[in-house]
Amino acid sequence: MDSKQNLLVIIGPTAVGKTRLSIDLAKRYNGEIISGDSMQIYRGMDIGTAKITEDEMEGIPHHLINIKEPNENFSVAEFQLLVRAKIGEIAERGKLPIIVGGTGLYIQSVIYDYQFSDVPGDESLRLQLEERVKEIGNEELFKELMEVDPGSAAQIHPNNVRRVIRALEIFKLTGKTMQEFQSKQQPDLLYNTALVGLTMERENLYERINLRVDLMLKAGLLAEVKGLYDQGLRDCQSIQAIGYKEIYEYLDGKVTFEEAVANLKQNSRRYAKRQLTWFRNKMEVQWFDMTDVNHFSKKITKISHCVEGKLQVKSNT
């Protein structure tokens, strides 16, 4: 028997059905859920991040949701520290820790023995890059990263300025890309991990994403974003999230509301594509196609067999 702590991880693109599956598996295996989403940590950003509601939780404890104010920063290293501590706490209670989310780098940082402090920061260089963003804008700085480190650029959203700057900082300080450092580390899995990935035919997934955006708007997304906008929140990590940046452009008068909604849907679809690419290239995932949602119970049975085989656990249902 593996002496490592059991851990179930459920990953996949936005709108693929991770939440529904996670609740079912948490009930089956006496689990508690840790959010693996880099934006659901922010309070007051519920609709745009598709945050699980109290009713949807069905009594299952959830962790790392609503732990930061929207004006606060949050790093991969901090996420790594918090989640590893939570895994230990949940296991001590005799429960199965379940990480659920779509932020690939964050989840990867937890389950593999990655070190994020190999390259020290350079404050003066970072300040220069921050000033450069103000001069040329997010897109132009992102283009600079694409030229010197296309691998990292493929995994970073152009509006995630903090990570763009960090990748450029590493390259400018060392002449090596972020991936070159990671590849040398040859990380091991820290936990006895069942890594379940959900996928879906692209056309179906894109339809679900478009529908989700429509439902978010009906649920009050515009009012939620306007609340942050009226607080004067700008140039902070939280507002870079898809669903917030696009509405900000509308509130700034840069685009019409219809254009903002179209941009939001397009950016969400592109993000889903990037998520799938990341997971397929970076992790050893057992994939399950969720295209036919009418046969959800059959999918659950297959996934349960995978989990039980990997973790040597028994269903209590």
Side-chain angles (χ1 to χ4, degrees):
M1 186 74 178
D2 200 320
S3 60
K4 293 178 180 178
Q5 167 61 48
N6 275 348
L7 176 66
L8 173 57
V9 180
I10 302 170
I11 59 172
T14 185
V16 78
K18 298 185 295 293
T19 298
R20 181 182 177 188
L21 174 68
S22 67
I23 296 297
D24 190 292
L25 294 182
K27 288 178 176 178
R28 284 174 184 251
Y29 303 113
N30 198 24
E32 295 188 17
I33 292 171
I34 303 168
S35 171
D37 187 293
S38 62
M39 290 298 167
Q40 292 187 356
I41 59 164
Y42 291 112
R43 299 184 190 98
M45 297 177 64
D46 304 336
I47 300 169
T49 64
K51 202 176 289 178
I52 190 168
T53 65
E54 197 74 35
D55 286 343
E56 288 171 336
M57 289 180 187
E58 296 186 32
I60 301 296
H62 280 64
H63 306 276
L64 261 70
I65 295 174
N66 298 329
I67 62 169
K68 292 276 186 179
E69 295 300 332
N71 61 349
E72 294 182 280
N73 283 331
F74 190 62
S75 68
V76 178
E78 187 177 357
F79 178 84
Q80 182 190 68
L81 193 67
L82 289 172
V83 174
R84 287 180 180 174
K86 282 293 176 191
I87 290 171
E89 291 171 19
I90 293 167
E92 282 179 12
R93 289 194 287 272
K95 303 286 191 75
L96 174 66
I98 305 173
I99 300 177
V100 183
T103 308
L105 179 66
Y106 278 57
I107 295 171
Q108 188 184 32
S109 77
V110 171
I111 65 177
Y112 292 101
D113 189 18
Y114 275 115
Q115 304 299 321
F116 287 93
S117 56
D118 286 356
V119 182
D122 183 306
E123 191 172 349
S124 62
L125 175 56
R126 193 175 304 128
L127 287 171
Q128 287 175 29
L129 290 169
E130 286 171 358
E131 285 300 316
R132 188 152 176 73
V133 172
K134 293 175 185 176
E135 292 171 13
I136 65 174
N138 299 1
E139 291 288 342
E140 290 302 314
L141 192 74
F142 184 73
K143 286 178 184 176
E144 290 185 10
L145 178 62
M146 286 181 69
E147 288 175 11
V148 299
D149 186 358
S152 292
Q155 299 152 16
I156 300 174
H157 192 278
N159 294 320
N160 195 334
V161 177
R162 188 179 52 80
R163 283 191 59 211
V164 172
I165 286 175
R166 178 57 177 156
L168 279 170
E169 182 185 28
I170 288 173
F171 181 80
K172 289 177 181 290
L173 287 172
T174 67
K176 296 178 182 177
T177 68
M178 200 183 293
Q179 285 184 319
E180 285 179 288
F181 279 97
Q182 289 182 346
S183 64
K184 289 178 182 176
Q185 289 182 11
Q186 297 179 329
D188 297 319
L189 276 168
L190 293 177
Y191 305 95
N192 184 37
T193 308
L195 200 46
V196 171
L198 305 187
T199 186
M200 187 175 282
E201 288 179 8
R202 184 172 295 182
E203 187 177 331
N204 295 65
L205 181 62
Y206 286 179
E207 282 179 11
R208 284 172 65 93
I209 289 170
N210 290 340
L211 176 61
R212 171 178 278 190
V213 172
D214 291 336
L215 292 173
M216 284 177 174
L217 291 166
K218 285 181 182 177
L221 178 61
L222 178 57
E224 179 175 274
V225 180
K226 192 172 187 304
L228 300 170
Y229 184 90
D230 290 344
Q231 290 175 42
L233 283 171
R234 282 195 175 271
D235 303 320
C236 50
Q237 189 176 340
S238 62
I239 305 305
Q240 295 163 11
I242 295 171
Y244 296 85
K245 172 185 174 291
E246 295 85 358
I247 303 294
Y248 259 58
E249 289 179 343
Y250 161 66
L251 294 172
D252 280 338
K254 295 178 180 177
V255 296
T256 66
F257 183 68
E258 290 72 20
E259 287 171 332
V261 172
N263 291 340
L264 170 48
K265 289 180 177 179
Q266 183 182 60
N267 289 339
S268 297
R269 294 192 300 266
R270 286 176 174 170
Y271 178 57
K273 186 178 178 183
R274 286 199 305 274
Q275 285 175 301
L276 281 168
T277 300
W278 169 276
F279 292 132
R280 284 176 175 146
N281 291 341
K282 294 288 184 179
M283 299 184 189
E284 293 293 326
V285 181
Q286 183 72 46
W287 289 101
F288 295 89
D289 191 306
M290 306 300 284
T291 301
D292 189 355
V293 292
N294 294 322
H295 291 96
F296 186 76
S297 60
K298 289 183 180 178
K299 305 283 186 184
I300 286 283
T301 301
K302 286 184 178 180
I303 293 169
S304 297
H305 288 158
C306 167
V307 172
E308 289 165 19
K310 180 65 179 175
L311 302 183
Q312 299 298 301
V313 293
K314 292 182 179 180
S315 170
N316 56 22
T317 60

